[in-house]
Amino acid sequence: MKALKKICTVLMLLAFAFVFASCSNGSDSDDDDSSSNGLPSSVGKNVLARNSYQYSKADDDKTKTITYAFKDDTVTETKVEQKTGKSAETDITVYNYTYNANTGLLYMKIVSWTSDGVKMTSMNEVYAYLKKAGEVETVEEAKEYFGDQDIFAEKISMCYFVKNDGNILLGNYFDDDEDVKSSNFNYEEETTLRVKFDSEKIELNGATKTDWKIELDAKEETFSGSDIAGSYTVKAKAKKTLKELNGDDKLNEANGYIMVKFSKLPSEMSSALYNMETGTEYKFIFDLDCDEYTKQKGKKNSIL
């Protein structure tokens, strides 16, 4: 159902809009003015401005293309997804942004979201759109569903790394305990095992692929499902950015990690391959979810 996909898109934007912890290194800047819209002041040279970067991925049933077009202080994300035999669907999100060129961090805040040609700049407009799309029967139902969550109020932090060929790596950044509920973590000893808190499941993607649904209680730092349950503790947040790691997006404790203790395990995870036990802590490292975006040659954003 298309409307269901749209409400999931809003939830993804909310997940993307991590509770923000300032990562400014305290450097002085001449850009401290109201144009930053509450974001930290920019530091250093902006090599992203007036450039576009694109990432594409295709699998058996769909193709997805994401383009970031940077101006001096705004960036437009255009996401086009097309399932086999279906028409393409486009979502456009515009952000205000600032940056720290020394550490390779972007600070972003959503200005507008456009879906099905409908531009929205407030949650009230989002509620009305979801009602028109048939996802909810009334605006009041939409308000109750999202509570006090507001995609236009949250601030976002991401890390970026500019490669020698001009392409960029974009990844998430683990700088706040609240990020856990919107993130993925990989088991340090076997990367085929992942805790995907953003979609509330634990996934095994090895010789056989399976997953177990969970309900996350971020306040209590617990998760539970019919076949698997446990708790987690944040042990370390990010110590280095993607730039400080010289673009290395592989599993690294410097990305931050949590310790997970299972109270209930499925047979697959207690088998000889993983040999996990209840009551024992296991290290799961933060997944940057990093992708390479290709610089679009000759496409300056002078008129965007």
Side-chain angles (χ1 to χ4, degrees):
M1 183 177 178
K2 188 175 182 180
L4 178 60
K5 182 173 181 180
K6 294 306 178 184
I7 204 167
C8 288
T9 300
V10 179
L11 291 172
M12 288 175 65
L13 287 171
L14 285 165
F16 183 50
F18 295 151
V19 175
F20 178 73
S22 176
C23 304
S24 173
N25 65 358
S27 298
D28 293 332
S29 172
D30 295 330
D31 300 320
D32 188 11
D33 56 35
S34 59
S35 66
S36 63
N37 291 283
L39 299 172
S41 298
S42 292
V43 176
K45 181 179 179 180
N46 187 357
V47 298
L48 304 176
R50 296 177 294 283
N51 288 306
S52 294
Y53 304 87
Q54 189 173 94
Y55 166 79
S56 296
K57 182 180 180 180
D59 53 30
D60 293 337
D61 64 347
K62 67 180 178 181
T63 59
K64 179 173 69 174
T65 300
I66 302 174
T67 304
Y68 284 100
F70 287 87
K71 292 176 69 175
D72 288 332
D73 53 13
T74 62
V75 55
T76 300
E77 176 197 59
T78 302
K79 184 180 296 183
V80 181
E81 187 171 304
Q82 183 169 18
K83 290 188 176 181
T84 302
K86 303 288 185 180
S87 299
E89 296 183 12
T90 302
D91 287 316
I92 301 172
T93 309
V94 178
Y95 305 84
N96 285 323
Y97 81 95
T98 58
Y99 61 90
N100 187 320
N102 296 336
T103 57
L105 284 170
L106 289 174
Y107 309 110
M108 304 159 68
K109 189 174 182 181
I110 296 175
V111 176
S112 67
W113 173 51
T114 302
S115 186
D116 293 333
V118 179
K119 182 177 180 180
M120 293 156 273
T121 59
S122 71
M123 287 303 292
N124 284 334
E125 291 176 339
V126 172
Y127 302 147
Y129 166 73
L130 293 175
K131 177 180 180 295
K132 185 176 181 179
E135 177 61 18
V136 294
E137 293 185 1
T138 65
V139 168
E140 289 68 27
E141 182 183 347
K143 288 182 178 179
E144 182 178 354
Y145 187 88
F146 288 102
D148 60 358
Q149 299 178 95
D150 185 350
I151 61 174
F152 304 100
E154 301 294 347
K155 302 168 187 176
I156 302 154
S157 52
M158 295 186 70
C159 49
Y160 71 99
F161 176 73
V162 182
K163 300 179 63 178
N164 291 334
D165 58 7
N167 295 344
I168 61 172
L169 301 178
L170 285 177
N172 296 328
Y173 190 66
F174 186 27
D175 60 356
D176 193 286
D177 288 1
E178 291 287 337
D179 294 350
V180 171
K181 61 187 177 184
S182 305
S183 304
N184 300 327
F185 296 82
N186 293 289
Y187 181 36
E188 67 164 343
E189 295 184 14
E190 180 53 69
T191 57
T192 58
L193 180 59
R194 308 182 74 199
V195 174
K196 303 183 74 170
F197 284 137
D198 63 344
S199 51
E200 291 195 300
K201 66 181 179 180
I202 293 177
E203 181 180 85
L204 185 60
N205 191 13
T208 59
K209 183 174 181 178
T210 188
D211 60 66
W212 301 273
K213 293 298 294 180
I214 58 172
E215 290 187 8
L216 174 67
D217 186 335
K219 183 177 180 180
E220 298 297 326
E221 297 188 337
T222 61
F223 56 90
S224 59
S226 58
D227 298 305
I228 194 167
S231 60
Y232 69 88
T233 304
V234 176
K235 287 295 186 181
K237 293 186 278 291
K239 296 179 180 178
K240 293 184 178 181
T241 65
L242 192 59
K243 180 176 181 178
E244 291 165 334
L245 291 170
N246 198 34
D248 183 2
D249 65 335
K250 298 182 177 62
L251 290 186
N252 189 315
E253 286 190 10
N255 298 331
Y257 64 91
I258 61 175
M259 300 299 293
V260 176
K261 183 187 294 185
F262 295 100
S263 57
K264 181 166 55 176
L265 283 167
S267 58
E268 291 90 339
M269 291 173 60
S270 58
S271 67
L273 178 60
Y274 297 96
N275 200 30
M276 288 185 159
E277 299 177 347
T278 58
T280 300
E281 284 193 326
Y282 298 96
K283 183 183 293 184
F284 282 76
I285 298 176
F286 180 77
D287 184 359
L288 298 178
D289 193 20
C290 183
D291 292 313
E292 180 171 344
Y293 288 74
T294 302
K295 185 177 182 180
Q296 302 300 285
K297 309 269 185 210
K299 293 185 178 180
K300 294 289 184 179
N301 300 324
S302 57
I303 60 174
L304 288 177

